[in-house]
Amino acid sequence: MPKYQSYSTNLNQRRQSTGLRPLIVLCVVSILVLTFYLREGESGPIHTLRAGVTTITTPARMAGNLVSAPFNAVGNIFGNLTASRATLDELEAENAELTARVAELAEYQATSERLEKLLDLQSTYNLQSTAARIIGQSSDAWSDTVTIDKGSLDGISVNMPVTNSTGVIGQVIEVAPNASTVRLLTDEGSGVSAMIQDTRAQGMVQGQPDGTLRMDYVSVDADVKEGDIIITSGIGGVYPKGLPIGTVASVTKNSNDVYYTIIVSSASRTESNEEVLVITSLSEEQTATDQDVASANNTPAGGERSQGDTSGEGSTESTDTTEGSE
């Protein structure tokens, strides 16, 4: 019996020794290979062997990924299907909250950009003005007006001009304590003395029944072309001089005509704006000079209007001021 136990013990020791020896050899070889790999250059034999193995095994790895991709997708689907109702509800609520937050931030950004443009306009033209918000628009076919949220308690009065960040939009015609009605330039009852910015040719921009703008009383002797910028002339002291109104969309002249037919593309779009400036007072430099008035009265347009009204060009501004009293 002792002899048998001695044989068994020797056999077990031999097996343990046989199992450890390859492991030790592999560790030593790995350390040596790693040392040589780190010390040799990029063109060394171990690097070259590694690149070759990678090249050979790459197609197999790609094939393996292609084969396993559908199974991974199916696994994800089953994982989603087996998700608890509470988890799905939580994810849906989180998604809805994030969507609402994104929309809110986008609205804040759009409002900030519009207010910044208003401040730029106010600073550029040195306007004495009060900011207001458009809160309503006319719903009938006989007038083109908007309602703003400022009234007499805020210093607003009839005939004050109104502009948005891109140009003139109209004039206050009715005032309540906390709200006011603004007649838009596109209303057929509106009218503002204007001029071509480059040539200073005088005329009047008026609204048309179809909601467009037209510049009347511009002599065919004046130089007018498509794309010309039209601004307020400041004559009459209602609108500040130099505010943008629009651009010449088309200009035509028929034979024997005294005036051009000029269609104006408005610079402002009230339907896409919410904030406006109500101009409360004008400085001396924002009104037309005596020379501007004299120049307007000496044009054929001024002479034509003076036949019916001895005030000449001043009749243009009577249109501006009477708008508020209608």
Side-chain angles (χ1 to χ4, degrees):
M1 191 66 181
K3 191 174 184 178
Y4 175 77
Q5 289 178 347
S6 176
Y7 175 77
S8 177
T9 301
N10 292 335
L11 182 61
N12 290 335
Q13 289 176 351
R14 191 177 303 161
R15 287 177 178 175
Q16 292 176 0
S17 176
T18 303
L20 290 174
R21 189 176 298 137
L23 178 62
I24 294 172
V25 171
L26 289 175
C27 289
V28 172
V29 171
S30 298
I31 293 172
L32 292 175
V33 171
L34 179 61
T35 302
F36 288 137
Y37 179 83
L38 294 175
R39 290 186 175 183
E40 72 175 3
E42 293 292 333
S43 59
I46 299 179
H47 280 80
T48 303
L49 179 62
R50 180 175 181 273
V53 172
T54 301
T55 302
I56 294 172
T57 58
T58 295
R61 289 203 308 270
M62 294 177 62
N65 290 333
L66 292 175
V67 172
S68 63
F71 295 99
N72 291 334
V74 171
N76 291 333
I77 293 174
F78 278 108
N80 292 333
L81 291 176
T82 56
S84 66
R85 183 71 252 177
T87 301
L88 294 177
D89 290 343
E90 182 180 349
L91 291 175
E92 289 177 358
E94 183 178 352
N95 182 65
E97 182 180 354
L98 291 175
T99 301
R101 183 61 176 166
V102 169
E104 183 180 4
L105 292 175
E107 180 63 20
Y108 284 151
Q109 182 179 0
T111 302
S112 176
E113 290 174 354
R114 292 196 304 269
L115 292 175
E116 186 175 353
K117 290 178 180 179
L118 277 180
L119 289 175
D120 289 342
L121 182 81
Q122 185 183 48
S123 175
T124 300
Y125 292 94
N126 192 26
L127 299 176
Q128 300 297 317
S129 58
T130 297
R133 181 181 293 271
I134 295 176
I135 57 175
Q137 193 159 359
S138 60
S139 57
D140 60 82
W142 308 106
S143 63
D144 197 1
T145 63
V146 294
T147 303
I148 59 176
D149 64 351
K150 296 293 178 65
S152 58
L153 295 178
D154 305 289
I156 308 301
S157 61
V158 171
N159 294 332
M160 286 182 174
V162 181
T163 180
N164 60 20
S165 60
T166 55
V168 176
I169 68 168
Q171 187 177 22
V172 176
I173 58 171
E174 293 180 4
V175 177
N178 297 309
S180 301
T181 301
V182 178
R183 172 178 287 153
L184 302 179
L185 287 184
T186 50
D187 188 282
E188 61 180 317
S190 70
V192 53
S193 290
M195 61 183 174
I196 306 296
Q197 188 176 49
D198 288 340
T199 64
R200 320 308 280 183
Q202 303 279 342
M204 175 183 284
V205 172
Q206 295 179 308
Q208 303 302 306
D210 60 358
T212 60
L213 293 176
R214 190 176 70 192
M215 190 173 184
D216 295 326
Y217 309 119
V218 178
S219 171
V220 294
D221 295 330
D223 181 17
V224 183
K225 59 183 181 299
E226 290 185 13
D228 281 348
I229 297 174
I230 301 172
I231 60 175
T232 54
S233 66
I235 295 176
V238 176
Y239 287 88
K241 182 179 180 180
L243 285 181
I245 296 176
T247 57
V248 175
S250 66
V251 52
T252 57
K253 181 191 72 170
N254 298 323
S255 58
N256 301 323
D257 279 352
V258 179
Y259 306 116
Y260 285 118
T261 299
I262 301 175
I263 303 301
V264 179
S265 175
S266 177
S268 61
R269 295 288 185 272
T270 56
E271 64 272 12
S272 60
N273 285 272
E274 297 179 22
E275 296 82 19
V276 296
L277 290 178
V278 182
I279 301 171
T280 54
S281 63
L282 306 183
S283 62
E284 185 176 349
E285 70 231 10
Q286 291 171 334
T287 58
T289 64
D290 292 340
Q291 182 179 358
D292 293 330
V293 176
S295 175
N297 285 333
N298 289 332
T299 62
E304 176 72 18
R305 283 192 296 276
S306 65
Q307 293 176 6
D309 185 342
T310 57
S311 60
E313 182 66 21
S315 64
T316 299
E317 290 309 315
S318 68
T319 303
D320 287 325
T321 55
T322 54
E323 286 175 13
S325 60
E326 289 178 0

